[in-house]
Amino acid sequence: MSTTVAIVAATFVVIAATFIPTYIINNRNKKTTESDWAIADRSLPIYVIVGTQFASAMGGGVLVAHVGNAYNNGIGHFLYGVLAALPFVCIIYLAKWLRHNNYTTIPEILRTFTNNNKVVTVFAAVMTIVVPFGWVTSQITAFGNIYSNLTGIDYNVLCLIFAVVALLFVMPSGLKTVAWTDFIFACFMCVMCLICIFKVTDMAGGVGSIVSTLNAADPDLLSFSGSLSNKIGISAATLWIFAVLPGGVTNQIYFQRVCAIDDEKKVNKSLLLSAFASALSFVWAVYMGLAIRSINPDVGSGATAWFMGQLPTVLMALFAALVFATMMSTTSSGVQTSVMNITRDIVPIVAPDMDENKMLRLSRILSVILMVVAILMCLVFTDTLTWLTATYAFSAATLACPIFVSYAFRNKKFITTAGVVAGMVAGLIGCIVGMVLKATISYAAIGVGFSLVAMLVVCALTKGKGAVELSK
C-alpha cells in the first residue's frame, strides 16, 4: 500500500468513526433547536466538556510547532504550556456567575455592564470573532501544507476538502455536534499520543539514553532556567506571558463550553480538568521534541515531519489522521462560535423579531459563507501565523479588562458604559501604537495596559452616571 493511499484511508476511517456515532447521538431524541446549535441545549456531560475543551485548545500547533520549539529550546518551552492552560483556571473566577446568568457570548457579558449598548455589542462581537476565525484559517492552511507534503495532493484541493468536512461536523447541530465530535477526536488523540511516546522512547533507546545524550550535547536543554535564559530568552518568555494568557481568557470557545455543561455544580471541575489536559498535551510536545533531538540533532523545527518519516506506513498514516483530527476539532469549533456571535449578538440588532427556525437556518447559511471566506483567504495567504498572533493581541487588548474589571466591580456601582467603551477603544489604540512603533514590549501588553488605565479613569470620572450595580 502506498503512503498516500494509507494516509487517505486512515483519515477517512477517522472521519467516519467520528461522524456516524456523533450523528446518531445528536439525533436520537429530538429535532435540532437553536439552543442545540448555540450551547448544546446545556446538556453536555462533563467528560464531553473536558474533551471538547482539550481538543479545541490542542490544535495542530501542539503536534507540529510546539514539538519543533521544544526540540530547539528545551524543557523551558513548557512555560508556554502553563500559560496556555492558565486561562481555564482564570475563567473559574467568573464561571459560576456566567452560568447563573445564562451567558452564551462575550458581548452578552459586556451588554450587562453597558445598559444593552448596541455599539458596544457589535464592537465586542467583532473583536470576539477575530480569534476563532483566525483559528479556522490557520488550521485550514496548516492542513493543506502538511497533507500536500505527505501525499502530493494539490494544496488547494486539500483546503477545499478539509473545509467541506468541517462543515459536515458543524451543520447538523452546531455546538452539540462539534462537542461530541471533539470528544471522540480527543479520545483518538490520547491513544495516538501514547503510541508516539512509546515509539519515540524505543527509537531513542529509553528515557535514560535520552537524558544522557541531551546532557552530553547541551545541558541547557534539560535545565528549566538554562532553557529559558539561554535558549528561549527572557524577552520572548515575557512576550508569551502578555500574549498567550490574555488571549486565552478572552477566547469565547472556552466560555461557551462553560455555558453548555449539564450540571452547573461541575463547571469548576470541568475547567480544572481542561487545564490539566491542556498542560499534559504540552508535556507530550516537550518530551517528543527532546526525544527526537536525542535521536537526530540536525532536523530543527521539522522534528515532527522527521519523526513521521521514520514510522512504518500504518503508524505514519494514523499519525497523519491524528494531525487531521486535531486541526478539524479546532476548525469546527472556530466556525460554530464565530457564527454564534453573529446570530446572537449582531443579528438581533438588525432583525430583532427573527424566530428560532429562521435563526437556525441562518446559522447554517452563515457557516457556509464564513467557510468560503476562510478558504479564499487560505488560497491567497498561505502564511497566517503573523496575523493570527495579531488577532490574539487585539482581542485580548480590547476585551480582557472590560470583562474582568467589570466583573470585579459588579457590586460597586462603578462600571459605566463610557468606561467600558474607553477600555475597548484604548486597548485597540494601544495595540496599534505598539505594533507601529515595534515596541520591545509586546503590543498586546501595551494594549492591555492602555485599556486598564483608560477604563479605570473614565469609570471614576463618570461614576454615578448610569453606573451598573448587579445584585449577584
Side-chain angles (χ1 to χ4, degrees):
M1 181 186 295
S2 71
T3 300
T4 297
V5 172
I7 291 173
V8 171
T11 305
F12 179 80
V13 169
V14 169
I15 294 172
T18 304
F19 182 77
I20 294 172
T22 300
Y23 186 85
I24 294 172
I25 290 170
N26 289 327
N27 292 277
R28 62 187 177 186
N29 294 325
K30 61 177 183 177
K31 183 180 178 181
T32 299
T33 64
E34 196 277 335
S35 182
D36 286 326
W37 177 278
I39 50 172
D41 201 27
R42 303 190 192 279
S43 64
L44 297 178
I46 186 172
Y47 58 87
V48 173
I49 291 292
V50 174
T52 184
Q53 294 278 40
F54 166 70
S56 298
M58 187 171 179
V62 173
L63 293 179
V64 182
H66 292 296
V67 170
N69 287 334
Y71 178 102
N72 289 323
N73 300 322
I75 199 170
H77 189 71
F78 184 63
L79 173 63
Y80 193 106
V82 172
L83 295 171
L86 275 178
F88 293 111
V89 179
C90 294
I91 293 171
I92 290 175
Y93 175 59
L94 62 166
K96 288 189 176 180
W97 177 76
L98 292 173
R99 184 56 190 265
H100 177 79
N101 288 280
N102 294 325
Y103 291 122
T104 56
T105 69
I106 286 175
E108 285 179 355
I109 300 171
L110 297 181
R111 274 206 301 268
T112 299
F113 294 102
T114 58
N115 298 304
N116 296 313
N117 187 283
K118 294 180 180 179
V119 175
V120 169
T121 300
V122 174
F123 186 21
V126 172
M127 299 313 298
T128 303
I129 288 171
V130 294
V131 170
F133 182 71
W135 276 16
V136 172
T137 55
S138 64
Q139 297 301 303
I140 294 174
T141 300
F143 173 82
N145 285 323
I146 292 171
Y147 263 57
S148 179
N149 290 330
L150 288 173
T151 65
I153 300 173
D154 182 71
Y155 166 84
N156 296 337
V157 172
L158 287 167
C159 288
L160 182 60
I161 292 173
F162 186 79
V164 171
V165 174
L167 285 175
L168 290 177
F169 288 127
V170 176
M171 284 298 193
S173 303
L175 181 61
K176 198 171 185 182
T177 314
V178 167
W180 277 99
T181 54
D182 279 356
F183 169 70
I184 297 173
F185 280 146
C187 293
F188 174 62
M189 291 176 199
C190 291
V191 172
M192 280 304 301
C193 285
L194 284 174
I195 291 174
C196 290
I197 288 289
F198 289 127
K199 181 63 179 177
V200 78
T201 303
D202 180 64
M203 290 169 60
V207 175
S209 177
I210 294 172
V211 172
S212 61
T213 300
L214 293 176
N215 268 327
D218 189 346
D220 282 340
L221 292 170
L222 295 180
S223 166
F224 195 83
S225 59
S227 176
L228 279 178
S229 59
N230 299 326
K231 298 292 184 181
I232 297 168
I234 300 302
S235 60
T238 303
L239 294 182
W240 290 353
I241 294 171
F242 288 105
V244 179
L245 182 57
V249 298
T250 56
N251 190 334
Q252 183 172 275
I253 289 176
Y254 300 160
F255 283 78
Q256 191 181 0
R257 276 120 179 96
V258 168
C259 302
I261 196 168
D262 60 357
D263 187 350
E264 184 177 337
K265 296 178 181 178
K266 297 179 180 178
V267 167
N268 288 353
K269 183 178 180 181
S270 74
L271 287 166
L272 286 173
L273 289 173
S274 298
F276 176 76
S278 177
L280 201 60
S281 72
F282 279 86
V283 172
W284 178 87
V286 170
Y287 181 84
M288 289 293 297
L290 292 175
I292 292 170
R293 178 149 183 165
S294 74
I295 302 168
N296 187 340
D298 300 317
V299 297
S301 298
T304 299
W306 179 85
F307 174 70
M308 291 180 69
Q310 310 309 304
L311 297 175
T313 300
V314 173
L315 269 183
M316 186 178 73
L318 288 173
F319 192 94
L322 171 64
V323 172
F324 165 85
T326 56
M327 292 180 176
M328 181 56 64
S329 63
T330 303
T331 302
S332 58
S333 294
V335 170
Q336 192 277 330
T337 199
S338 298
V339 168
M340 191 181 71
N341 270 127
I342 299 172
T343 57
R344 290 214 161 187
D345 298 318
I346 298 176
V347 171
I349 294 175
V350 180
D353 298 321
M354 184 176 292
D355 63 38
E356 181 177 303
N357 290 331
K358 289 182 179 179
M359 191 69 79
L360 181 59
R361 192 180 312 120
L362 178 62
S363 296
R364 289 172 171 148
I365 293 171
L366 287 171
S367 297
V368 176
I369 294 174
L370 186 145
M371 191 62 82
V372 169
V373 173
I375 282 292
L376 292 175
M377 292 185 68
C378 291
L379 298 181
V380 176
F381 305 106
T382 56
D383 181 9
T384 58
L385 181 59
T386 300
W387 69 272
L388 175 62
T389 302
T391 64
Y392 266 108
F394 279 93
S395 178
T398 55
L399 297 175
C401 290
I403 293 170
F404 285 88
V405 173
S406 294
Y407 176 75
F409 287 97
R410 68 193 181 284
N411 300 325
K412 305 298 183 182
K413 204 171 184 179
F414 176 76
I415 302 300
T416 64
T417 299
V420 172
V421 171
M424 296 176 73
V425 173
L428 182 63
I429 293 173
C431 256
I432 294 173
V433 169
M435 180 181 285
V436 171
L437 296 179
K438 297 181 179 180
T440 54
I441 302 174
S442 165
Y443 57 85
I446 294 174
V448 171
F450 273 40
S451 177
L452 177 61
V453 172
M455 185 174 177
L456 291 176
V457 169
V458 175
C459 281
L461 292 174
T462 57
K463 184 179 179 181
K465 299 177 182 179
V468 175
E469 180 181 15
L470 303 182
S471 58
K472 294 183 180 180

